[in-house]
């Protein structure tokens, strides 16, 4: 059985910068009006990420950090940092908010980390089309608020919406709230263009159209520095948060298959097996989970509520709680789903890790086989998604850590059953979500980062050239 779990860092990696290189780099940064961050506290802060959810990645990435950090708040400053790195041949890793799950923003070979939280403006919002351009470091929650003031909404959001940045989501994320309607970030039609800075002695500031931007989307910042993104938005809807409960797992699963096939306007659907629901905090007013009922969380348009309530008896479920999004107290539903489920479960028991799979259709047979073989070692958390135009169920099961062999065996079993793996225990872009080398991503790196200085070690296609 070939292991799908890394046991060493990808190779070859460049050596870290020498003290002379670092001094020369720091002098250039200061000359550009930038403050190099060199203290161990600052560098440690710039090396945090959620890779700790993976006991496979933890020993490989723990302690990896930059030799110098810097924060930029204008595109000109980004160009100055890129020029200095290219001139002194120091590697550069980009950082948004550092909420990635696989160490995407952790430098494997030292060098410089560039944080863009100062680039945070919504530059334009077209009131007719809803197309907007926003800067790389804007927090998604701030962007959402500003779009909503114009009657628009982000189509897709990670459950880390409150802390994650726009460019970090594009370069490191994939899906989330809204995926039930809008699919995945890499689906054509979401990202309409990028402003990009190249890593060269004279960095270019380029405007890429949708086709050219595709290669930068989900490339971990390995092939260009995003300074702004142009994206499509959705009409704003005052989403209602609903918690449904089912006595039998099969009924909850059937509801998760049936509801997206109706004309109800839904933005998110999350299914939590009873023992998972029992590990989570619940919004104020929502009954705590007893460990018996399986829960389905929905974000639904207000006009969906009467029809949903009429459907529920036939589905065998009951409505436990409802409240408008943004107006409930305690935890909002969107911070109970996607990888927030894992976060809360690990808060109760750090012995949990997780997987990310797209289930084959029909889902019930594969899930039954997995549940039968893995029993209590794997607890089920599903998310409704639209994949290639079809309503499907993805899952982020909680997995009790029993060692690498057991995790490998689970992954192989799931793949044999037809599941598609998005491996959260991988370091490179290709071994995580993409599956294989994307020649366009590698070609973009040759164009925009010819010396290979951006986030070394994360793009396998470049290492294999
Ligand atoms: C509890 C939890 C829940 C999560 N839920 C979701 C979810 O629902 N959906 C999802 O997709 N992800 C999810 N994630 C992963 C992560 O939060 C998101 O992908 C998030 O959007 C990353 O944004 P960030 O600003 O933290 O990026 P970072 O982690 O800082 O960076 C991510 C990647 O983007 C690169 N990058 C950052 N800025 C730039 C730039 N300007 N130009 C080029 N590259 C850049 C970095 O180098 C890195 O490779 C979750 C993580 C956690 C811990």
């Amino acid at each position: 059985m070939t292991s799908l779990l890394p046991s060493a860092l990808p190779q070859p990696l460049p050596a870290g910068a020498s003290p002379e290189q670092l001094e020369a780099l720091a002098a250039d940064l200061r000359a550009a009006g930038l403050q190099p961050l060199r203290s161990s506290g600052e560098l440690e802060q710039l090396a945090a990420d959620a890779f700790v959810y993976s006991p496979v990645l933890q020993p490989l990435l723990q302690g990896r950090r930059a030799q110098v950090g810097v924060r930029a708040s204008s595109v000109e400053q980004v160009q100055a940092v890129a020029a200095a790195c290219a001139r002194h041949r120091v590697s550069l890793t980009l950082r948004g908010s550092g909420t990635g799950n696989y160490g995407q923003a952790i430098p494997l070979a030292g060098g410089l980390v560039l944080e863009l939280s100062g680039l945070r403006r919504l530059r334009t919002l077209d009131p007719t089309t809803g197309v907007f351009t926003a800067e790389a470091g804007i927090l998604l929650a701030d962007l959402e608020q500003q779009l909503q003031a114009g009657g628009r909404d982000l189509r897709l959001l990670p459950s880390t919406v409150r802390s994650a940045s726009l460019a970090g989501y594009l370069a490191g994320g994939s899906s989330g709230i809204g995926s039930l309607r809008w699919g995945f970030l890499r689906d054509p039609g979401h990202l309409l263009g990028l402003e990009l800075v190249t890593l060269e002695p004279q960095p270019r500031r380029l405007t890429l159209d949708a086709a050219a931007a595709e290669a930068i989307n989900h490339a971990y910042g390995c092939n260009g520095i995003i300074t702004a993104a142009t994206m499509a938005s959705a009409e704003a809807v005052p989403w209602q948060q609903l918690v449904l409960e089912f006595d039998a797992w099969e009924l909850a699963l059937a509801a998760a298959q049936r509801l997206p096939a109706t004309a109800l306007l839904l933005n998110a659907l999350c299914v939590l097996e009873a023992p998972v629901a029992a590990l989570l905090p619940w919004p104020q007013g929502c009954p705590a989970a007893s460990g018996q009922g399986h829960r389905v969380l929905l974000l639904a348009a207000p006009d969906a509520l009467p029809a949903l309530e009429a459907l529920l008896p036939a589905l065998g479920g009951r409505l436990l709680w409802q409240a408008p999004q943004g107006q409930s107290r305690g935890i909002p539903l969107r911070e109970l789903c996607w990888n927030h489920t894992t976060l809360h479960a690990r808060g109760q028991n750090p012995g949990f890790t997780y997987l990310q799979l797209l289930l084959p259709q029909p889902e019930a047979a594969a899930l039954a086989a997995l549940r039968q073989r893995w029993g209590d070692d794997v607890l089920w958390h599903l998310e409704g998604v639209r994949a290639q135009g079809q309503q499907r169920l993805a899952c982020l099961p909680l997995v009790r850590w029993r060692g690498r062999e057991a995790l490998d065996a689970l992954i192989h079993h799931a793949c044999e059953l037809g599941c598609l793996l998005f491996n959260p225990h991988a370091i490179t872009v290709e071994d995580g979500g993409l599956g294989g080398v994307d020649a366009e991503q590698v070609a973009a790196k040759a164009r925009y980062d010819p010396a290979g200085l951006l986030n070394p070690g994360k793009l396998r296609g470049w290492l294999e050239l």
Side-chain angles (χ1 to χ4, degrees):
M1 184 172 74
T2 324
S3 175
L4 291 166
L5 305 173
S7 50
L9 292 181
Q11 296 296 334
L13 288 175
S18 67
E20 295 74 28
Q21 280 174 300
L22 287 177
E23 274 318 310
L25 179 76
D28 278 11
L29 296 178
R30 280 192 214 97
L34 290 156
Q35 176 63 44
L37 308 171
R38 308 277 299 264
S39 77
S40 57
E42 288 164 327
L43 296 177
E44 195 170 327
Q45 204 187 359
L46 290 173
D49 172 289
F51 66 79
V52 290
Y53 294 10
S54 163
V56 175
L57 295 182
Q58 169 132 30
L60 297 175
L61 299 180
Q62 195 69 49
R64 303 259 147 211
R65 65 192 52 173
Q67 295 164 289
V68 57
V70 67
R71 295 200 168 92
S73 46
S74 70
V75 179
E76 291 71 26
Q77 286 184 342
V78 172
Q79 285 175 292
V81 176
C85 284
R87 203 174 304 130
H88 302 294
R89 298 190 80 79
V90 174
S91 64
L92 187 162
T93 302
L94 289 146
R95 183 175 175 90
S97 307
T99 67
N101 284 120
Y102 333 122
Q104 292 103 312
I106 304 296
L108 301 184
L112 176 141
V113 162
L114 171 59
E115 208 237 46
L116 295 183
S117 56
L119 271 176
R120 51 169 180 252
R121 273 186 320 125
L122 169 61
R123 286 188 187 161
T124 57
L125 167 61
D126 184 318
T128 314
T129 61
V131 171
F132 69 88
T133 299
E135 291 179 340
I138 191 170
L139 286 186
L140 291 170
D142 291 345
L143 177 56
E144 178 186 48
Q145 203 177 23
Q146 292 177 51
L147 292 180
Q148 283 175 353
R152 307 297 301 183
D153 239 334
L154 283 163
R155 288 179 172 182
L156 294 167
L157 284 172
S159 58
T160 44
V161 48
R162 282 203 288 167
S163 49
S165 71
L166 176 61
Y169 188 38
L170 282 170
S174 59
S175 50
I177 295 130
S179 282
L180 184 68
R181 275 174 95 194
W182 296 107
F184 293 79
L185 264 177
R186 278 198 117 216
D187 290 348
H190 295 311
L191 179 62
L192 305 179
L194 283 179
E195 182 184 82
L196 197 82
V197 166
T198 61
L199 198 85
E200 298 169 294
Q202 268 92 43
R204 291 169 287 158
R205 177 178 181 166
L206 304 174
T207 304
L208 306 185
D209 63 14
E214 214 170 290
I216 316 297
N217 195 341
H218 202 75
Y220 294 7
C222 290
N223 54 12
I225 304 174
I226 300 168
T227 47
T230 299
M231 299 186 72
S233 66
E235 203 169 316
V237 174
W239 297 111
Q240 304 296 305
Q241 312 172 94
L242 305 176
V243 177
L244 315 180
E245 196 164 67
F246 297 82
D247 292 330
W249 170 251
E250 289 69 23
L251 291 176
L253 179 61
Q257 292 164 319
R258 171 86 182 101
L259 288 171
T262 63
L264 304 175
L265 182 56
L266 303 175
N267 202 39
L269 181 154
C270 165
V271 189
L272 303 170
E273 197 184 10
V276 179
L279 292 168
L280 305 192
W282 291 92
Q284 237 177 58
C286 178
S290 62
Q292 300 305 314
H294 308 277
R295 292 193 171 184
V296 174
L297 318 186
L298 293 176
L299 292 181
D303 65 7
L305 297 188
L308 184 68
E309 285 188 75
L311 262 178
L312 263 183
L315 293 173
R318 54 192 171 274
L319 178 61
L320 274 191
W321 178 83
Q322 73 179 84
Q325 181 166 273
Q327 292 175 37
S328 56
R329 291 174 151 232
I331 194 137
L333 285 200
R334 63 190 195 176
E335 289 181 16
L336 291 180
C337 60
W338 290 92
N339 227 1
H340 265 76
T341 313
T342 318
L343 173 122
H344 297 300
R346 283 179 46 84
Q348 298 291 322
N349 177 354
F352 280 120
T353 183
Y354 72 115
L355 269 187
Q356 298 177 144
L357 304 165
L358 185 65
L359 292 169
Q361 284 183 311
E363 290 93 357
L367 266 176
L370 285 161
R371 275 161 59 87
Q372 190 187 2
R373 169 144 169 213
W374 297 95
D376 189 37
D377 271 2
V378 183
L379 306 179
W380 292 94
H381 157 207
L382 317 182
E383 295 284 346
V385 297
R386 188 157 179 267
Q388 310 283 329
Q390 276 191 310
Q391 291 306 146
R392 301 279 298 266
L393 288 172
C395 64
L396 293 86
L398 293 173
V399 178
R400 284 184 216 277
W401 176 240
R402 306 276 190 219
R404 295 171 62 92
E405 288 75 24
L407 185 59
D408 250 332
L410 168 62
I411 292 174
H412 277 89
H413 185 210
C415 292
E416 277 157 28
L417 290 166
C419 294
L420 192 63
L421 172 71
F422 299 88
N423 190 355
H425 306 282
I427 292 175
T428 64
V429 174
E430 293 89 342
D431 297 327
L434 289 195
V437 170
D438 176 343
E440 291 302 317
Q441 284 188 335
V442 181
K445 187 165 176 76
R447 272 196 303 278
Y448 307 136
D449 174 28
L453 292 172
L454 283 171
N455 211 355
K458 302 281 176 60
L459 196 64
R460 183 155 55 75
W462 182 260
L463 299 176
E464 289 172 356
L465 273 183

